[in-house]
Amino acid sequence: MQHFKLIFSATFVAIKRDRLLHALAGASLLLFLLVPVISMFSMRQVQELAITLFLSSLSFTLLIFSILLGVFSIWKDIEKRYIISVLSMPIKRRDYLLGKFSAIALFLMFTVCLMGIIGYGTITFAAHQYQSEIPVSWPNIFTAMLMSGAKYILLAAVALLFSVISTSIFLPITGTIGIFLAGSATQGLYEYINSGSGAQDISLTGQYVIKALYYLLPNFSAFDYQVYAAYTLALPLDTIFYTVCYWLIYTSFLLFCASIIFEKKEFR
Amino acid sequence: MNIVEINALSKEYKVKKKRIRALDNLSLTIQKGEIFGFLGPNGAGKSTTIKILTDQIRATSGSATIFGIQSNKAEARRQIGYLPENPAFYDFMTAREYLSFTGKCFNMPESSLAERTNQVLATLDLLDAANRPLKGFSKGMTQRLGLAQALLHDPDLFIFDEPMSGLDPVGRAMVKKIIKDLKNKGKTVFFSTHITSDVEVVCDRVGILVKGRLVAIDSVEHIMATGIEGYIIQIRGQDNKTEEIKVSNSELNGVIARLLADNVKIERVNPVAHNLEDFFLDTIQAQVPTNESQ
């Protein structure tokens, strides 16, 4: 546990001192501050658009952070040979991997909280500009934010798995982006092939491929609660519960696989 | 007591579908308090052996234990101070922060960590740079920090991979002194190098690795003694002039007896010896036909 904590805090310090992340955080902040201004362009749905824009901006920021941290965190240690110095100490590889991942996950959730504070200000400001018939539901907005955080923690686990598999940077980046795009689309495709017209339009082989991808790849669209937040719809608590269980199981499975591969990895 | 025990260790790498044997049936033991020099030309398998001992890579066959614990267990590394070849450390930290991180990894108590950190920084002449980020460290400074983090928790075994690499003459002298000090404290040091003069100065025993095979292992003292080809006797003649007489090993006693009988003043007797470099080169040369025939 001691070693896990040490790797966790070292990774968190590395993230805190990363200048690229500072620049990206600054750009994100600017994006959030522009939310009330851009929302004005919608004459009637200022509040709804502000919520949607805010959650989309948060999602984009978390996407960039999760890919960067998930891919580069371990890859950089291997590439710059830091890992040789670290793993020659009595640190178990599993503790190293989980310490890294936990720091990334915590940072993503910290980003969610920080952006939540900023979001509170920007959405309140935008909502006062044009009174909506729908009241702002903060529990719905915070649920959407937390689910977004969970989604990108899962993506970081995907990135981490790729970064322990490959020694080059190409596979982790393209693989993570590819899985993210495919995992975001499978839900829609699955529903399409189960609809009458979809079953006719797509060949049987294509339908099997889509079904296989739907069951194998992480389903990122399951974490999307933007509509519930923007239009204050009643939250489906049972669906949220199952999604959280799905997230826990899938993330644990990815980390388990990454841990087995990392245990066998050689650092020449 | 054997601190390091290596039994029939072999390692094969796959390079472009070809199998390359980096280490071939290596067996070796290192005793407590010994300074063992691991010599060999580039690509001989020295670093491969060290990487197996520190669990960076896994042996294809054979085993290695450190203090009786399998080298692939994290527990085995608790009593090791390791300096990797061309070391690199988290460059977002300062030297002091990195040493604190290292100390905590070895479960050093907070109370002694700060004091010990200052000690090793002073020993390696890094006190002035202690609070600077490692990003700005030169190669020599990084190498010295590598030694500092190896010394920090005062382990019983030190494994240094090319410890003099990247150091200026002052740094090299510093490292040699550190190794000698460690010997005086009864510590065990296992270090790889291809610089024979370093081994000659600090090592008790030396192993020579060629193409993954241990081809020679002997004490430095014995190597130096068996390398004696003859002697030069310096005498002062009757006209008060200095003369030198070269004699073979077998002639030495007889010649000295004759000179003494003739009342000749013997000023000095110097052995004409091969140095370790000659031994190293001869050993490698001797392997060439064997390897070529294979």
Side-chain angles (χ1 to χ4, degrees):
Chain A
M1 197 63 186
Q2 161 83 353
H3 293 143
F4 166 83
K5 279 189 210 164
L6 282 167
I7 297 294
F8 174 86
S9 47
T11 308
F12 209 79
V13 170
I15 294 171
K16 254 185 4 190
R17 294 181 184 175
D18 192 320
R19 285 185 186 172
L20 177 65
L21 289 180
H22 291 173
L24 288 170
S28 301
L29 194 65
L30 195 69
L31 204 63
F32 286 117
L33 294 176
L34 283 175
V35 165
V37 180
I38 299 168
S39 305
M40 297 299 174
F41 292 110
S42 162
M43 298 305 287
R44 290 186 177 187
Q45 294 198 322
V46 176
Q47 175 191 300
E48 292 80 352
L49 186 63
I51 294 169
T52 309
L53 276 177
F54 165 71
L55 290 174
S56 300
S57 306
L58 176 70
S59 182
F60 182 69
T61 305
L62 292 174
L63 171 68
I64 302 289
F65 282 177
S66 59
I67 291 178
L68 276 181
L69 294 173
V71 167
F72 285 99
S73 191
I74 288 184
W75 179 83
K76 195 175 165 189
D77 276 15
I78 297 172
E79 184 67 15
K80 294 203 166 186
R81 297 167 48 84
Y82 301 150
I83 203 157
I84 290 170
S85 312
V86 174
L87 291 184
S88 62
M89 294 190 249
I91 296 175
K92 287 187 178 137
R93 292 186 181 195
R94 186 190 56 218
D95 288 344
Y96 170 86
L97 189 83
L98 294 181
K100 284 259 168 199
F101 175 75
S102 304
I104 294 168
L106 185 78
F107 177 75
L108 292 175
M109 274 306 176
F110 173 76
T111 307
V112 169
C113 294
L114 191 73
M115 297 308 178
I117 296 166
I118 297 164
Y120 182 81
T122 51
I123 291 168
T124 307
F125 179 77
H128 275 95
Q129 299 302 305
Y130 189 93
Q131 205 66 43
S132 171
E133 285 175 8
I134 309 166
V136 176
S137 171
W138 290 110
N140 283 22
I141 294 171
F142 290 137
T143 303
M145 286 170 65
L146 288 175
M147 292 306 269
S148 194
K151 172 180 166 177
Y152 290 105
I153 288 174
L154 177 59
L155 185 65
V158 172
L160 214 67
L161 175 64
F162 277 119
S163 72
V164 298
I165 291 173
S166 171
T167 44
S168 93
I169 194 67
F170 182 73
L171 176 69
I173 287 185
T174 53
T176 307
I177 294 172
I179 294 278
F180 178 71
L181 293 175
S184 303
T186 49
Q187 177 80 46
L189 287 170
Y190 182 78
E191 283 166 7
Y192 180 65
I193 58 166
N194 282 327
S195 68
S197 59
Q200 285 171 355
D201 292 346
I202 296 174
S203 68
L204 206 60
T205 318
Q207 288 183 36
Y208 280 128
V209 171
I210 289 168
K211 278 184 184 169
L213 290 174
Y214 174 74
Y215 288 114
L216 284 175
L217 297 180
N219 184 354
F220 290 112
S221 53
F223 297 87
D224 188 358
Y225 282 82
Q226 271 194 28
V227 177
Y228 292 91
Y231 297 99
T232 316
L233 304 175
L235 287 171
L237 295 178
D238 52 343
T239 310
I240 292 173
F241 173 74
Y242 290 127
T243 310
V244 170
C245 291
Y246 171 79
W247 172 76
L248 266 174
I249 293 166
Y250 211 118
T251 309
S252 306
F253 174 71
L254 289 174
L255 290 176
F256 175 72
C257 293
S259 166
I260 288 175
I261 295 164
F262 194 61
E263 197 62 45
K264 295 183 186 302
K265 200 170 177 77
E266 297 204 330
F267 304 103
R268 289 192 205 172
Chain B
M1 183 197 176
N2 291 337
I3 301 291
V4 178
E5 211 167 311
I6 298 171
N7 295 310
L9 207 62
S10 293
K11 175 68 187 174
E12 281 185 356
Y13 290 120
K14 253 188 188 173
V15 181
K16 291 178 183 171
K17 292 182 182 174
K18 267 189 178 177
R19 285 194 164 274
I20 292 171
R21 186 159 268 237
L23 213 54
D24 191 0
N25 210 27
L26 173 73
S27 293
L28 181 69
T29 54
I30 296 165
Q31 311 284 315
K32 188 176 183 339
E34 188 175 33
I35 311 288
F36 189 92
F38 211 30
L39 269 174
N42 292 333
K46 306 184 295 291
S47 291
T48 300
T49 310
I50 288 176
K51 282 176 182 175
I52 292 171
L53 288 175
T54 50
D55 195 38
Q56 294 167 54
I57 57 173
R58 273 66 191 260
T60 309
S61 63
S63 67
T65 59
I66 294 168
F67 297 101
I69 304 167
Q70 287 297 322
S71 66
N72 58 354
K73 304 267 182 253
E75 195 54 34
R77 299 192 290 279
R78 198 165 286 286
Q79 274 308 309
I80 298 178
Y82 171 58
L83 169 71
E85 186 182 9
N86 302 320
F89 307 107
Y90 284 141
D91 64 359
F92 57 86
M93 288 185 179
T94 64
R96 195 180 291 283
E97 283 172 340
Y98 191 80
L99 290 177
S100 167
F101 169 73
T102 305
K104 286 173 186 166
C105 282
F106 283 98
N107 288 335
M108 284 179 75
E110 287 274 357
S111 52
S112 62
L113 183 56
E115 191 190 333
R116 182 74 185 141
T117 299
N118 282 332
Q119 267 177 23
V120 291
L121 284 170
T123 307
L124 274 305
D125 200 16
L126 283 170
L127 262 180
D128 291 342
N131 297 319
R132 273 164 46 189
L134 300 184
K135 208 174 276 180
F137 270 35
S138 68
K139 197 182 173 202
M141 286 166 83
T142 308
Q143 187 79 2
R144 280 187 278 146
L145 178 68
L147 281 160
Q149 58 92 38
L151 297 170
L152 185 73
H153 61 292
D154 193 28
D156 288 327
L157 170 66
F158 292 87
I159 299 179
F160 298 151
D161 199 352
E162 305 281 358
M164 323 282 185
S165 154
L167 293 175
D168 58 18
V170 178
R172 291 165 73 98
M174 183 191 284
V175 174
K176 284 179 202 169
K177 186 183 175 302
I178 287 170
I179 294 176
K180 282 178 185 169
D181 288 348
L182 290 173
K183 182 176 170 54
N184 292 337
K185 286 181 190 166
K187 307 285 184 183
T188 310
V189 183
F190 175 60
F191 80 94
S192 79
T193 183
H194 51 258
I195 304 165
T196 49
S197 56
D198 296 341
V199 174
E200 209 172 297
V201 176
V202 295
C203 288
D204 298 316
R205 226 159 39 111
V206 60
I208 297 178
L209 206 61
V210 180
K211 295 192 174 177
R213 288 190 301 133
L214 187 68
V215 293
I217 183 162
D218 207 341
S219 72
V220 173
E221 199 180 6
H222 185 245
I223 292 168
M224 301 305 279
T226 51
I228 295 172
E229 290 177 325
Y231 293 86
I232 290 175
I233 304 171
Q234 192 176 305
I235 56 167
R236 192 164 292 275
Q238 286 174 342
D239 50 356
N240 214 21
K241 278 187 179 172
T242 305
E243 284 177 42
E244 282 185 349
I245 307 167
K246 192 172 179 184
V247 296
S248 67
N249 290 351
S250 57
E251 290 170 334
L252 180 68
N253 289 339
V255 174
I256 288 177
R258 207 168 55 240
L259 289 170
L260 289 173
D262 293 348
N263 265 338
V264 177
K265 191 181 176 193
I266 299 172
E267 290 198 322
R268 199 178 297 162
V269 180
N270 282 335
V272 179
H274 272 309
N275 58 18
L276 195 61
E277 186 169 84
D278 297 325
F279 175 75
F280 175 59
L281 292 173
D282 289 347
T283 308
I284 292 172
Q285 201 59 41
Q287 295 305 307
V288 174
T290 320
N291 291 325
E292 279 176 356
S293 65
Q294 283 172 354

